[in-house]
Each structure stands twice: as structure tokens, then as C-alpha cells.
Amino acid sequence: MEGPWVGTWRPHPRRGPILAEFSTPGPKYWIPGTTGHASHDPTRYKAPAYTFRGAKGLVAESCSPGPRYFIHPSITKIGKYVPPSAHLTGRPKTKSEVTPGPSDYSTEKADKHVYSNAPVQSMVFRHKLSDALQTPGPGAYTLPRLLGPHTVYTHAEPCYSMRWKSMYNSCFQDLAKTPGPAAFSKVELDVYKKRAPKYTM
């Protein structure tokens, strides 16, 4: 129970553990355990878990549909058995058509194809050519090249050309990009060697 007021503060019972009572972090941190299956530490190896199930329920006395269904004797495990039989059907209906008779043909012009005849010439007018039959002339096409390396369907022989001298690995190629000996002025020997005696008058 809560006590009397002490100034602006009233004593009351503690609601939980106080951090000052522990020399370690105490209940401030919670580390998952390494035993059991639930809330297991994910950084540790977990052994396989096994559970026990209850007994199975009662099995029905009969699992078949019984005599409710009638299966025809022609139904087998590989399909329906149908013995060979002949079927009688009516004659199909045909539509009668009127065809021409022998007297409807004229065979007089066919004699020249059956019997030997003398050659016969005839003169007719020249057919008028339409624009659709006008084909392009020989000058309307551009034939592919037959000489040189870039030909379409012919075998090209090796081609050679003359070029200027390559500067690759040449003595005139400056690979280091640095000045040569002639780019510097001559240094006197007296600068870096022992100077000889000099006489003046």
C-alpha cells in the first residue's frame, strides 16, 4: 500500500526489479536459450526435434461405395470392350445432275490433231504490248564487281598495297617522350671535376 505524502513524493511499492541492485546488466537484456525448440538461439546449432502424435481415428468398415453404383460388364480395367459388329445405314442421298450428251460436242476441228495434214500458215495482227510486259533493258542493271578484294560471288586473289614506313618500333619513334643528349648544353669539366691550374698575366 502507498504511504503518506512526503513533500511532493509519496512512497509506493516497487513495480519491478531495479537496475541498481544488479552488478550485471541484469534483466535489461534477454538472451535466447539454447534448449528446447521454441525461442531457440538462431546462432547456435539446433538438434532435430521429434513430436508424438495421437492414435489414428477409426477406419470405416468398408471403403468402397458398395452396391449403390452399377458398372456395365463391358467396362474393363483397360477401357470399354466393344465386340466387332456391322452397322446398317441408309443409302446416302445423291443429287442428280444433267450432263451433256454425245451430240452436244463438235469434233470436226479435232481431225487435224488425229490425221496427218499439210502445214498451214495464217497471218494475224501483232499483239499490242501492254505496259505490264515492258521489262527493263540490259542498261537498267548494275552488275557486281568482278575484280578486287570485295566481290560478291567470285574468288578474290590476294591484294597488295604500298604504304609509308611504319613508325612502330622504329629508331625515329620516341617511346620515352624524353629529350635526347643534344637537347642539353655542354657542361664544363671544371664544374664536376678537379680544375686544372690557370695562369694569367
Side-chain angles (χ1 to χ4, degrees), residues 85-159:
S85 59
H87 299 279
L88 297 177
T89 57
R91 180 180 294 179
K93 295 182 179 180
T94 57
K95 185 178 181 181
S96 60
E97 297 181 358
V98 179
T99 57
S103 60
D104 294 335
Y105 297 97
S106 177
T107 59
E108 288 79 9
K109 297 181 180 180
D111 294 340
K112 63 180 180 179
H113 301 287
V114 179
Y115 304 103
S116 298
N117 296 319
V120 177
Q121 287 81 19
S122 61
M123 298 180 63
V124 295
F125 294 99
R126 180 179 295 178
H127 296 284
K128 184 178 181 181
L129 299 176
S130 60
D131 296 337
L133 298 178
Q134 294 293 336
T135 56
Y141 297 96
T142 301
L143 297 178
R145 294 179 56 184
L146 298 179
L147 299 177
H150 303 289
T151 58
V152 179
Y153 55 89
T154 57
H155 179 72
E157 296 296 333
C159 298

Side-chain angles (χ1 to χ4, degrees), residues 32-110:
T34 58
T35 59
H37 179 71
S39 301
H40 192 276
D41 190 357
T43 62
R44 300 293 180 178
Y45 178 75
K46 184 191 298 183
Y50 303 93
T51 58
F52 293 92
R53 297 184 60 184
K56 295 183 179 180
L58 297 177
V59 182
E61 297 179 357
S62 177
C63 297
S64 63
R68 282 190 304 176
Y69 303 99
F70 172 75
I71 301 176
H72 197 271
S74 62
I75 302 299
T76 63
K77 63 178 182 180
I78 58 174
K80 186 177 181 180
Y81 172 73
V82 180
S85 59
H87 299 279
L88 297 177
T89 57
R91 180 180 294 179
K93 295 182 179 180
T94 57
K95 185 178 181 181
S96 60
E97 297 181 358
V98 179
T99 57
S103 60
D104 294 335
Y105 297 97
S106 177
T107 59
E108 288 79 9
K109 297 181 180 180

